[in-house]
Amino acid sequence: MIRSLTPALALLVATAALAADPPKPATPASVLERAPAGDWAPVPLDHLMVMELAGGGRVAILLAPEFAPGHVGNIEAMAKAHWYDGLWIDRVQDGYVTQWGDPDDKKPLPPGAVEKLPAEYERPVAGLAFKALPYRDTFAPQVGLVGPWPVARDGATAWLTHCYGMVGVGRSNSPDNGNGMELYTIIAQPARQLDRNITVVGRVLWGMEHLTALPRGQGAMGFYDAKVKMLPIVRVTMANELPASDRPHLEMLRSDSASFDAWVHIKANRKDDFYVRPAGAIDLCSALPPVREIK
Amino acid sequence: MIRSLTPALALLVATAALAADPPKPATPASVLERAPAGDWAPVPLDHLMVMELAGGGRVAILLAPEFAPGHVGNIEAMAKAHWYDGLWIDRVQDGYVTQWGDPDDKKPLPPGAVEKLPAEYERPVAGLAFKALPYRDTFAPQVGLVGPWPVARDGATAWLTHCYGMVGVGRSNSPDNGNGMELYTIIAQPARQLDRNITVVGRVLWGMEHLTALPRGQGAMGFYDAKVKMLPIVRVTMANELPASDRPHLEMLRSDSASFDAWVHIKANRKDDFYVRPAGAIDLCSALPPVREIK
C-alpha cells in the first residue's frame, strides 16, 4: 500500500520515463497503457443498461444474455418500459450487497415481462470460448473468462461467479421467482456461496462507487428501515435508447487478447518497485477485464 | 439473495420454531444463536484500538502483536500519545482500500515510536496454534485460523492475509519505512497480492461501515484531492485507556471452538430453504470469526 501520493506519482512518472533510463518492470497500468487499440473492444450498447440515481450518479451495467437469456430478456423489457423509474435502492448490507428495485414487491410488470422464470444458474460449456486461468480456485475445478465474464466450470457445465460488481436477480426461497424486480450487486468480497443458487445477469462496468459509498441500511440484512432513507432511482434505460450524446462510451480489454494475458500475468507476478514478493497467482475475481471510458 | 425482507423474516421465525415442527436445517445465524457462552471470548482491551471519526462513527480495530510486534508497538505508542488525533481519512479507492493518517507524511512521531521498522511480513509457524481450513486456496498451500486471525502458511512460515477489514501499514517503495503513520483497510475483495509485501497489523472488528460508506477520493489511486474533502479523525485511543463506560464490549467466536467448526461447515454447506446447491467450500476471508457487541 502506497503510503502517500508523492511516491506513487514518482512511480507513475518513472514508468513513463524515457527509453534511455534502465527499463522498469511492467505494471498492470503500464500493460494497459501499451495495449494496442485492437485489444480493446467497445462495450456493445444493446445489452448495456444505464441506471441514473438521485444525486446524479450514473451506473452502467452490462447484461449477459449468453448465460441468462430469460432473465436478461425480462430485465430489458422492464427497462424499456421504464418499470424501474421511481423505485429505490432499498438495501445496502455492509460487506455483502447493494440491492435495488421494488421494496414492496408488488409493482405490476409491463407487457413482455413475466413474474416467474425458470432458474438460469448454469449452462453448458459447449458453445462458449472458455479461457482458463492457470490458478487454483477454492470453489470450482476450473475458472476463467468467457468474453467479458468471470466463469467457473465443472466438466461440461459453466456458471457466472459472484465477484465484486457482478449483478444478480433477487428471489425468495423458491428458485423460480426471480424476475428482475430486485437486482443486487456484490460490494465487498466475492460471495461465491451464492454461485449456482441465484441467476447472475451482468456486471457493473462503470459507476460502481454510486452503489458502494452509500449509507448502510439499519434494518435486518441491511434493508433500509424506512422508505425516506432509500436512494431513489430516477431512470433505468437501455443505452441504445438514450440520445447519442448521453450514451456511455466504454471499452473493455478483450479477454482473448495478448494484452489481457500480459495484464493477468503481471497482476499475478508483480515485480515493480513496491513489491518484494510476487504472489505467483491471481484469483478469478481480480481478473475481471478492465474497463475504460472514452471521452 | 433474498428478494425482500418479508420472506427473510419468515425464515428467521421458522428457524426459531417450536420443536414440534419438522427440524429446520441449521444456518450460520442459528449456529451462532445456539453457541454456548464459552465458545465466545471477550475481545481483549489491551490491543484494541478505537478510532472516533467526525460525524460520530466509532471503529474498533484489534491489533496483532503475535504477527507484527514492532509495528503494533509503534502504533500503540502513537495511539497512547494521541498522535492520530486531528488527522484524516485521506484515501478511499473504490474496490480496494480506505486509508488514514498523515497525508503530508511529516507529523513528528511521539517518544516511543520510530520512523523505520524492519518489515514484519511473515513469521515462523512454530508457536502458533494453526487450525487449517480443509479447502483449496488460490495463493498458499494451506490457509486457516490462528486465534482470531486469518493466516496463510507455506511450510514453516505463516502470514496474515489481506481479507476484507484487515488493516495494514502503508509504506513507500522501501520495505522498511512502514511505521503506522498511514494505515489502511481492505474495503472490497481480498487483496491477496499484497500478502507478504506489507506488514498487516490487525482487523476492523466493529464499525467497518464508517470506513466503507465514504465518498471515493477523486485523486489518483483514490486519494482525496483536497484536505477539505477528507474525513477528520477526532481521536484514536487504546480501549483500555477509555473510561469504562466508553469501552467497546465485543465478543468473538473462538476459532478453536466446536461452534466455530459448525459455523464454517454450515457456511460451506448451506442446506437451508434458500439454497439449492451448497458450495461445498468456503474461502479463508469468508471464515473470519464472527464478532458481536454485548450491550
Side-chain angles (χ1 to χ4, degrees), chain A residues 33 59 96 122 126 143 150 153 183 190 194 217 245 253 264 287 292:
Chain A
E33 282 159 21
V59 179
Y96 198 28
E122 57 189 24
V143 292
R153 66 177 284 186
L183 300 172
L194 296 176
S245 62
L253 194 66
V264 166
R292 67 182 184 187

Side-chain angles (χ1 to χ4, degrees), chain B residues 47 49 60-68 71-72 75 100 148-150 160-169 183-186 199-205 288:
Chain B
H47 296 298
M49 191 163 75
I61 300 166
L62 183 64
L63 298 170
E66 314 90 305
F67 286 85
H71 287 76
V72 167
I75 292 165
W100 61 95
W149 304 114
L160 294 177
T161 55
H162 277 82
C163 296
Y164 183 81
M166 293 295 285
V167 175
V169 174
L183 299 173
Y184 65 89
T185 188
I186 302 298
T199 299
V200 180
V201 290
R203 177 185 163 201
V204 176
L205 294 193
L288 271 58

Side-chain angles (χ1 to χ4, degrees), chain A residues 1-3 8 91 94 99 136-138 164 171 177 182 189 197-198 212 221 274 276-277 285, chain B residues 1 3 8 91 94 99 105 136-138 164 171 177 182 189 197-198 212 221 274 276-277 285:
Chain A
M1 193 54 38
I2 281 291
R3 197 166 90 184
R91 177 186 186 192
D94 195 70
Q99 188 168 319
R136 283 190 305 273
D137 180 70
T138 299
Y164 181 82
R171 61 169 175 87
N177 68 358
E182 287 276 329
Q189 59 193 355
N197 283 287
I198 286 200
T212 54
M221 302 192 305
F274 184 80
V276 297
R277 184 195 288 265
C285 290
Chain B
M1 190 57 37
R3 198 167 89 182
R91 177 187 187 192
D94 195 69
Q99 188 167 316
D105 245 3
R136 284 189 306 273
D137 181 70
T138 299
Y164 183 81
R171 63 169 174 86
N177 69 357
E182 286 276 329
Q189 59 193 357
N197 283 288
I198 287 201
T212 54
M221 301 193 305
F274 184 79
V276 296
R277 185 195 289 264
C285 290

Side-chain angles (χ1 to χ4, degrees), chain B residues 73-140:
Chain B
N74 229 48
I75 292 165
E76 292 184 352
M78 291 158 74
K80 286 173 187 166
H82 288 274
W83 185 86
Y84 294 100
D85 301 8
L87 294 175
W88 294 273
I89 294 182
D90 56 3
R91 177 187 187 192
V92 184
Q93 182 171 0
D94 195 69
Y96 198 28
V97 295
T98 290
Q99 188 167 316
W100 61 95
D102 177 16
D104 303 319
D105 245 3
K106 62 185 182 199
K107 184 171 179 175
L109 291 174
V114 297
E115 280 282 345
K116 286 194 175 212
L117 281 163
E120 295 173 309
Y121 299 159
E122 57 188 25
R123 59 152 285 166
V125 173
L128 297 178
F130 183 87
K131 175 176 192 155
L133 285 180
Y135 306 111
R136 284 189 306 273
D137 181 70
T138 299
F139 296 89

